Amino acid sequence: MTVTSEQRFGEFVAVRRHAGQEHVAELVLDRPKAMNAVSTDMARSIAAACEALGADPGVRVTVLTSSHERAFCVGADLKERNSFTDAELVCQRPTARAAYTGVLELPMPTIAAVHGFALGGGFELALACDVIVADATAVVGLPEVSVGVIPGGGGTQLLPRRVGAARAAELVFTARRVEAAEARELGLVDELVEAGRDREEALALGARMAANSPVGLRAAKKALRLGHGLDLRAGLEVEDAAWRSVAFSGDRAEGVAAFNEKRSPQWPGE
């Protein structure tokens, strides 16, 4: 797959675009010497990249990938953390949170391409995405209690929304690592592919999503996210508000016209 452009955010994060997939952005975790352990600088860069992606109307789907052959992301940089005073750790917390919320709050559909280790904060970055594609080498888990903390990048909230409260409790309290086949069985990941194909399959899935209305995609994501956990009546009101936000859009008019004219839509994106 040919990279047509790359924008760097600091030393450890890149956003790439590919030939034939102009509406899919690849957000690359690129700190291979540390297996993508999230340092303060890297967290800052993830947040900055997400801010730029969220403001780009041409991005219909974002795919989160890793440049390391054996790891998606091993979580927080514990070597850096070990050097912090208590005061420094408190000061660093908003920067760390901004990285995870940056991914979580991206307005377009997001896909994580996971291979190798996705542990702690690394798995939380994947959990912040809408869909997780994992290959057969993937090992996921939230082992934070084994080092005296708790999942602090959204894990205690996002994991039970995927697998239920009891299963999430078992996984968090035991700090155990889960290999790919069991992860798929438990719903920790959504698609399981052959070793080495997670990125390729995630980008292909992103391209299929990106063929659809950008206005519709963002509104559908908003409805899914805001409606989750509400009672049915409240959820249907969220859905209705999202429907009203697209019902009179240029994308809706183009989509209906293209359907009736038996042609591919040319989305105006508004």
Side-chain angles (χ1 to χ4, degrees):
M1 194 170 296
T2 304
V3 176
T4 57
S5 68
E6 177 177 293
Q7 181 180 3
R8 302 293 304 190
F9 291 84
E11 185 180 356
F12 305 127
V13 175
V15 172
R16 295 173 181 163
R17 307 293 275 271
H18 303 276
Q21 293 191 357
E22 61 270 20
H23 296 298
V24 178
E26 182 182 6
L27 176 57
V28 186
L29 305 177
D30 189 25
R31 195 186 177 203
K33 291 182 179 179
M35 300 181 81
N36 289 329
V38 182
S39 64
T40 302
D41 285 346
M42 187 173 179
R44 191 175 291 115
S45 295
I46 292 170
C50 289
E51 183 177 3
L53 287 166
D56 187 341
V59 178
R60 298 180 188 174
V61 177
T62 295
V63 179
L64 180 61
T65 70
S66 161
S67 66
H68 194 283
E69 293 182 355
R70 295 187 294 108
F72 175 73
C73 173
V74 295
D77 186 339
L78 296 184
K79 289 184 179 178
E80 180 189 65
R81 293 280 179 91
N82 192 49
S83 71
F84 286 168
T85 65
D86 288 352
E88 287 170 337
L89 183 60
V90 169
C91 289
Q92 193 257 4
R93 175 64 175 162
T95 301
R97 285 195 69 188
Y100 300 102
T101 57
V103 176
L104 184 64
E105 293 177 359
L106 281 169
M108 74 291 291
T110 52
I111 304 167
V114 173
H115 59 266
F117 297 112
L119 302 173
F123 188 39
E124 287 172 306
L125 286 171
L127 289 172
C129 294
D130 299 302
V131 178
I132 302 174
V133 176
D135 84 353
T137 70
V139 178
V140 305
L142 297 175
E144 284 88 345
V145 297
S146 70
V147 293
V149 291
I150 71 165
T156 65
Q157 305 305 304
L158 294 170
L159 188 59
R161 284 167 167 77
R162 273 186 162 267
V163 301
R167 178 63 68 191
E170 182 263 322
L171 292 167
V172 171
F173 296 161
T174 62
R176 73 183 180 95
R177 300 179 178 190
V178 182
E179 296 188 359
E182 185 185 3
R184 176 64 184 88
E185 181 181 346
L186 296 179
L188 300 174
V189 304
D190 302 301
E191 293 192 20
L192 186 59
V193 300
E194 294 178 2
R197 292 186 56 85
D198 55 296
R199 176 177 174 272
E200 180 180 351
E201 295 290 345
L203 287 169
L205 176 59
R208 293 197 296 275
M209 293 179 181
N212 297 306
S213 158
V215 170
L217 287 170
R218 292 188 180 216
K221 175 165 180 171
K222 188 173 183 179
L224 285 164
R225 286 289 179 91
L226 293 180
H228 187 90
L230 300 178
D231 65 70
L232 179 58
R233 186 178 296 275
L236 290 173
E237 290 303 316
V238 169
E239 181 182 82
D240 186 64
W243 179 87
R244 290 175 185 276
S245 74
V246 301
F248 309 104
S249 68
D251 273 16
R252 197 276 314 172
E254 168 61 11
V256 173
F259 177 84
N260 284 295
E261 296 165 14
K262 296 181 172 58
R263 60 174 174 80
S264 297
Q266 301 298 313
W267 304 114
E270 56 186 20

